[in-house]
Amino acid sequence: ADRWSINLSTGGTLAISRSERSANASNVPTLAQSGVFFTNSLLISCSAVDAAVAAGEFAVLECGIEGYDWRQIAHKPTNLSFWVNTRQSGVYAVSFVNSGDNQSFVQNYTISAIVAWTKVSIPVPEAPTAGTWDYSSGLGLRVRFCLEGGTTYQGGAGNWTATNILCTASQVNFLGSAGNTFAITGVQLEEGQFATPLEIHPFQQERALCKRYYQKLPDADGTQVYYVGLCSST
């Protein structure tokens, strides 16, 4: 679950946790299903309802891809594959947006079976070179899994457009019922139109990748850590 975040503006509330296979085998796809021995998934649950989605409301699970990584596959056809398990069936959207928020691509996928792991594969056409892109240490690409999206953030599917959209008008309202869950694992973005088996990094390599974004902030004598935050409204 490293380098994932929730970005939202909604009347509902979400809870996010890491769901372990050791606690319950159903928390991940089975080895027979996936061919991969998954140990955990990222779990989102709806703890407060947003019954009516206003135009400017949205909720997305987001992963930021560093420019150095993005440039390896930039402006080439790619494929996003993942396993998902949810208590809310319907049409969901995945969107991709550049660092300047002026180029985005949206594609729908449909979940029919609830509380069952489903493999999703989404081909993504090559991104245009127009717009603002970062190919170094900044944000190269954002991959966003939409959970709700108002009309302000809706658009067409299947093509890159010079705007910032999150979903289509078909997007389900995941926050419409308290207790809804959305679990995801095995996410892979790769060059080419078709999904290949999930690449599993050795533990030591994965740990080193995580440490690249780790920041330690001790005081002068190294005994305390201070953080700075802010709150809008109350």
Side-chain angles (χ1 to χ4, degrees), residues 217 225-231:
L217 305 171
V225 177
Y226 297 91
Y227 295 94
V228 177
L230 62 89
C231 177

Side-chain angles (χ1 to χ4, degrees), residues 73-94:
I73 57 174
H75 315 299
K76 300 178 182 179
T78 55
N79 184 281
L80 178 74
S81 57
F82 54 94
W83 286 88
V84 62
N85 183 319
T86 180
R87 292 184 179 275
Q88 176 62 64
S89 61
V91 176
Y92 291 80
V94 175

Side-chain angles (χ1 to χ4, degrees), residues 46-68:
C46 176
S47 49
V49 170
D50 183 16
V53 182
E57 292 185 324
F58 66 90
V60 294
L61 171 67
E62 182 175 300
C63 183
I65 298 176
E66 186 178 353
Y68 285 126

Side-chain angles (χ1 to χ4, degrees), residues 79-145:
N79 184 281
L80 178 74
S81 57
F82 54 94
W83 286 88
V84 62
N85 183 319
T86 180
R87 292 184 179 275
Q88 176 62 64
S89 61
V91 176
Y92 291 80
V94 175
S95 64
F96 306 78
V97 67
N98 65 345
S99 58
D101 291 332
N102 51 22
Q103 288 289 340
S104 61
F105 172 85
V106 170
Q107 191 59 275
N108 290 331
Y109 64 98
T110 302
I111 300 299
S112 301
I114 64 171
V115 199
W117 284 100
T118 302
K119 176 72 175 292
V120 179
S121 174
I122 296 177
V124 183
E126 59 190 72
T129 55
T132 305
W133 299 91
D134 192 305
Y135 306 104
S136 57
S137 60
L139 180 65
L141 186 75
R142 284 201 297 270
V143 180
R144 305 176 297 193
F145 295 82

Side-chain angles (χ1 to χ4, degrees), residues 155-203:
N159 296 287
W160 285 92
T161 56
T163 185
N164 179 15
I165 56 176
L166 300 174
C167 60
T168 71
S170 302
Q171 171 69 40
V172 71
N173 179 13
F174 171 80
L175 285 86
S177 298
N180 275 347
T181 58
F182 181 95
I184 192 168
T185 193
V187 184
Q188 179 163 273
L189 179 65
E190 59 188 318
E191 183 179 346
Q193 293 183 312
F194 304 100
T196 65
L198 181 68
E199 179 183 349
I200 303 295
H201 295 145
F203 176 81

